[in-house]
Amino acid sequence: MTSVQSSEGTISVQGQKLFYREARPGSGQTPRGLSVLLLHGIRFSSDTWLKLGTLDKLAQAGYRAVGIDLPGLGHSKEAVAPTPIGELAPSSFLQAVLEALELGSTALVSPSLSGMYSLPFLTAPGSHLCGYVPIAPICTDKVSPADYGRVKTPTLIVYGDQDPMGESSLKHLQQLPNHQVMVMVGAGHPCYLDSPDEWHSGLLNFLNGLS
């Protein structure tokens, strides 16, 4: 199996400490030059991506993979979210995260709750995301059709067909001009947990197509 360099730590974001976990390609591998930032839902944390093997899978494929614990959750419990849950956060929040982690070219994975952070960042003028993978995120109805229409970022919309939120978020997300859809049959809201192999295969196929 390909070697992986794993680490964890904290970063300072807008005056608060956020916890992160990271996996990088090991020695002898050629890095792809693309980072993948993984957010999470309200019942989860970066530990989800660690235990599921997503961080390692990405690193083994040549990507720098980072999972953060969002404010108030996981090991970032003492941090306060910039806005109440369910409202769009300032795009400056994720911009500060990317800068603190020195991620460079980045693809963003955003399930459920984390839509309140990822959508305003995705649609902000001057956003330079290389790829976006929304997984039934919240707040899709809070973005205007015009703002969706201006986004050029390649997007992989993922949801489980047993998740009512999947269809409702798709209704809005499909206004993104450069999108494809991955429906995971028999999977619920955290669809990546129901079928990890399918999730990893679909994610890597998408990421590999960005270069």
Side-chain angles (χ1 to χ4, degrees):
M1 182 175 290
T2 309
S3 66
V4 168
Q5 296 177 342
S6 300
S7 61
E8 60 183 48
T10 59
I11 50 173
S12 179
V13 176
Q14 298 178 340
Q16 302 195 88
K17 294 292 185 184
L18 294 184
F19 177 84
Y20 72 92
R21 303 175 194 273
E22 176 174 357
R24 292 176 180 253
S27 58
Q29 282 183 273
T30 303
R32 289 180 177 267
L34 179 68
S35 299
V36 183
L37 178 61
L38 299 113
L39 308 182
H40 60 83
I42 195 167
R43 294 188 294 112
F44 303 99
S45 68
S46 62
D47 188 56
T48 304
W49 305 119
L50 176 68
K51 290 179 176 175
L52 195 64
T54 304
L55 292 173
D56 280 359
K57 290 277 188 186
L58 289 168
Q60 288 163 7
Y63 300 101
R64 179 187 174 194
V66 180
I68 66 166
D69 287 5
L70 292 167
L73 301 169
H75 290 298
S76 300
K77 276 191 170 63
E78 293 183 5
V80 179
T83 50
I85 289 177
E87 294 184 15
L88 293 177
S91 62
S92 59
F93 174 81
L94 275 187
Q95 182 62 45
V97 170
L98 265 66
E99 291 172 0
L101 290 166
E102 300 180 342
L103 289 182
S105 300
T106 303
L108 182 62
V109 176
S110 176
S112 196
L113 166 84
S114 67
M116 63 182 279
Y117 297 100
S118 68
L119 286 165
F121 183 66
L122 173 75
T123 56
S127 176
H128 297 297
L129 276 179
C130 296
Y132 182 51
V133 185
I135 310 169
I138 66 169
C139 293
T140 55
D141 59 333
K142 298 182 183 296
V143 177
S144 72
D147 283 344
Y148 276 126
R150 282 191 286 267
V151 175
K152 295 181 173 62
T153 306
T155 299
L156 175 65
I157 302 169
V158 182
Y159 68 95
D161 70 348
Q162 302 302 303
D163 176 21
M165 282 186 64
E167 287 286 353
S168 61
S169 63
L170 174 65
K171 182 175 69 174
H172 302 288
L173 291 170
Q174 64 189 1
Q175 297 174 90
L176 291 166
N178 187 9
H179 79 267
Q180 51 188 289
V181 180
M182 174 180 163
V183 182
M184 298 179 64
V185 177
H189 187 51
C191 52
Y192 40 88
L193 295 182
D194 292 332
S195 188
D197 289 345
E198 182 183 1
W199 155 244
H200 290 140
S201 175
L203 176 61
L204 286 170
N205 284 341
F206 172 71
L207 295 173
N208 294 344
L210 295 178
S211 54

